[in-house]
Amino acid sequence: MLNPFEILETINMIDKENLDIRTITMGISLKDCADPDADKACEKVYKKITEYAKDLVTVGCNIEKQYGIPIINKRVSVTPISNLIDALDDKSEENCIKFAKTLDIAAKKIGVNFIGGYSALVHKGFTEGEKALINSIPRALAETDIVCSSVNVGTTKAGINMDAVALMGKIIKKAAELTKDNGGFACAKLVVFTNAVEDNPFMAGAFHGEGEGEAVINVGVSGPGVVKCALEKVKGEPFGVVAETIKKTAFKITRMGQLVAQEASKRLGVPFGIVDLSLAPTPAIGDSVAYILEEMGLEKCGTHGTTAALALLNDAVKKGGVMASSYVGGLSGAFIPVSEDAGMIASAKCGALTLEKLEAMTCVCSVGLDMIAVPGTASAETISAIIADESAIGMVNTKTTAVRIIPAPGKNVGDVVEFGGLLGSCPVMQVKEYSSAEFIARGGRIPAPLQALKN
């Protein structure tokens, strides 16, 4: 039973420490919308999304008012659209774009912030529909506003599809070029995964996985500011105390997330899926994962010791969260998106945080190289090589890794790309000047590691 102190503590977390529910995401299966005719399939897609999620935003707002808990985003994720493209008689780019525009229209009708699932899972090879969808991604993201896309290019079990990695470098470059007047914004809505999960509620990578039911409610919590404030009270204490403090804080944050998830599930008549524990930062001062690491004793995020501090944080968040909920899923850890974290932005601007250090940090954090801006002159092969490096980390360590990278048109190292809102601003980071083109041109598949042979 909650005592008055705990109630006041939670109020303080919300009022002064940026505690919020980052997203309520409804996953919707579109498997029964498949049709050989694109127009008929799109009609089914629109109807199903607008029927199932018609009350999602209203319910989210009502829960927010009733409990006083900020719910920042209401979102929808759907079955990877490549599955529906595979069912078409005509797998043309124009028909692919019809699906993207249908998702955009349906999402705007129900009032959600983003819709995810313009996706393909190609870690071992391509179907015709998957190849068609991937080739259409630049236009799909440039010609829609709130559609998000993801492509899974590797798994621990299958290895890395290097043909897909090579293709995604070109796709990202083209997407940036088509939205050059907006800083390459389309790339901010595109994630390249290894070991993608089926129940991730966060964008841009959310999709409704093959193992999921007809519909589900997944919730993503947040609270970097809460964790930082908790650590301020144990300044100078040993790491065991630091870990215990983070665990207890994560427990409280997760309990709040589960309350919201179960309440939304009940009101919408849709099963509760998971709570994603990920500490998702924002550009707001005080709501930063980088500031947590600096509170542990680092002068600047990115200096020596940063990877160790992040490993402790990620582990303690998971341990605290799993005590609070039996249904923890998604990505669950600490996000390190450069543009969405005020502390990361500051560290990147002063040179403490580099692309190489970020890559090392992704070995122990929740996802990977997230919202990274690089010079617009970076080649497709360089981008593919960055994806390959990050995929290798995910494959060998049996974890989800991802790359959301923006080759900002017309921008050079030291420039800043402004996106606004939760997406913040990106300092353009240095990439290696040496070529990876011959490496990427080899194609084929990097074999699965020995870790895959667990049966």
Side-chain angles (χ1 to χ4, degrees):
M1 189 171 182
L2 286 174
N3 62 42
F5 173 76
E6 289 174 318
I7 293 170
L8 289 171
E9 185 182 42
T10 303
I11 291 170
N12 189 59
M13 287 177 178
I14 293 168
D15 189 42
K16 297 180 180 178
E17 299 172 6
N18 297 304
L19 178 60
D20 58 53
I21 299 298
R22 187 51 47 85
T23 180
I24 296 177
T25 301
M26 179 184 286
I28 303 173
S29 173
L30 299 182
K31 291 178 182 179
D32 58 349
C33 298
D35 194 284
D37 182 274
D39 292 326
K40 291 180 180 178
C42 286
E43 286 177 20
K44 295 177 186 177
V45 166
Y46 178 84
K47 182 179 179 182
K48 189 161 189 182
I49 291 171
T50 53
E51 285 183 358
Y52 270 74
K54 66 181 185 297
D55 296 324
L56 177 62
V57 172
T58 301
V59 165
C61 291
N62 288 342
I63 293 172
E64 190 173 8
K65 290 174 185 175
Q66 181 176 343
Y67 291 98
I69 301 169
I71 301 172
I72 306 303
N73 293 293
K74 294 85 178 174
R75 298 164 170 170
V76 166
S77 63
V78 298
T79 306
I81 293 297
S82 61
N83 293 356
L84 303 187
I85 304 299
D86 271 321
L88 297 180
D89 288 334
D90 176 10
K91 300 173 180 60
S92 65
E93 181 171 320
E94 291 303 323
N95 277 341
C96 292
I97 301 300
K98 286 180 182 178
F99 281 94
K101 291 184 175 179
T102 298
L103 294 178
D104 203 49
I105 294 167
K108 288 174 179 174
K109 172 70 175 177
I110 57 177
V112 295
N113 305 95
F114 284 108
I115 184 165
Y118 198 77
S119 306
L121 311 180
V122 295
H123 39 273
K124 208 168 183 180
F126 302 93
T127 63
E128 285 185 48
E130 287 162 347
K131 180 68 81 71
L133 179 130
I134 291 172
N135 283 324
S136 74
I137 286 173
R139 274 191 60 197
L141 298 184
E143 295 178 22
T144 60
D145 297 314
I146 55 177
V147 172
C148 292
S149 179
S150 60
V151 177
N152 193 64
V153 298
T155 67
T156 299
K157 281 287 187 183
I160 303 170
N161 181 351
M162 290 300 290
D163 292 323
V165 169
L167 177 58
M168 289 312 299
K170 298 173 183 175
I171 293 298
I172 290 168
K173 284 286 288 184
K174 187 175 179 182
E177 184 60 30
L178 289 180
T179 52
K180 63 183 178 183
D181 294 337
N182 198 14
F185 178 69
C187 299
K189 301 187 291 174
L190 172 59
V191 181
V192 184
F193 276 119
T194 291
N195 290 322
V197 295
E198 298 187 324
D199 54 8
N200 164 28
F202 288 100
M203 298 296 169
F207 62 87
H208 189 68
E210 283 293 311
E212 298 288 324
E214 193 68 20
V216 69
I217 290 291
N218 297 320
V219 165
V221 299
S222 189
V226 177
V227 175
K228 181 185 180 296
C229 289
L231 291 183
E232 288 174 359
K233 299 167 186 172
V234 295
K235 193 177 291 288
E237 295 287 345
F239 284 115
V241 176
V242 172
E244 193 66 22
T245 301
I246 295 169
K247 280 166 57 181
K248 289 177 179 177
T249 307
F251 177 89
K252 294 170 187 174
I253 294 170
T254 307
R255 291 298 274 184
M256 190 182 76
Q258 177 151 303
L259 166 69
V260 169
Q262 290 176 332
E263 192 64 28
S265 169
K266 182 172 69 176
R267 296 187 188 190
L268 290 165
V270 172
F272 161 50
I274 57 93
V275 177
D276 187 316
L277 313 176
S278 299
L279 293 180
T282 72
I285 299 300
D287 198 24
S288 161
V289 170
Y291 291 161
I292 297 173
L293 306 181
E294 291 169 6
E295 187 60 39
M296 291 187 200
L298 304 172
E299 182 180 358
K300 213 65 173 163
C301 177
T303 192
H304 305 295
T306 298
T307 305
L310 183 58
L312 184 155
L313 172 63
N314 217 47
D315 179 66
V317 165
K318 292 177 190 291
K319 287 174 177 173
V322 296
M323 285 295 292
S325 175
S326 296
Y327 296 100
V328 169
L331 301 164
S332 290
F335 286 170
I336 53 170
V338 174
S339 81
E340 299 172 14
D341 185 308
M344 296 284 179
I345 294 168
S347 291
K349 283 182 176 178
C350 76
L353 190 63
T354 64
L355 197 56
E356 290 75 23
K357 186 59 178 178
L358 278 165
E359 186 178 301
M361 292 165 68
T362 64
C363 297
V364 298
C365 79
S366 193
V367 193
L369 296 173
D370 194 12
M371 286 302 289
I372 309 291
V374 297
T377 54
S379 68
E381 292 82 7
T382 293
I383 292 168
S384 292
I386 292 170
I387 293 169
D389 283 343
E390 199 59 36
S391 293
I393 290 171
M395 176 183 72
V396 171
N397 290 289
T398 320
K399 72 182 291 292
T400 303
T401 53
V403 174
R404 187 159 50 143
I405 189 168
I406 301 102
K411 299 290 185 179
N412 297 306
V413 175
D415 293 339
V416 175
V417 188
E418 297 283 352
F419 292 122
L422 283 177
L423 294 176
S425 61
C426 263
V428 177
M429 304 183 81
Q430 179 74 54
V431 297
K432 297 292 185 186
E433 61 185 71
Y434 303 103
S435 175
S436 309
E438 285 189 33
F439 175 75
I440 295 301
R442 288 178 179 271
R445 184 154 49 96
I446 292 180
L450 196 60
Q451 292 90 310
L453 302 177
K454 288 185 175 180
N455 291 331

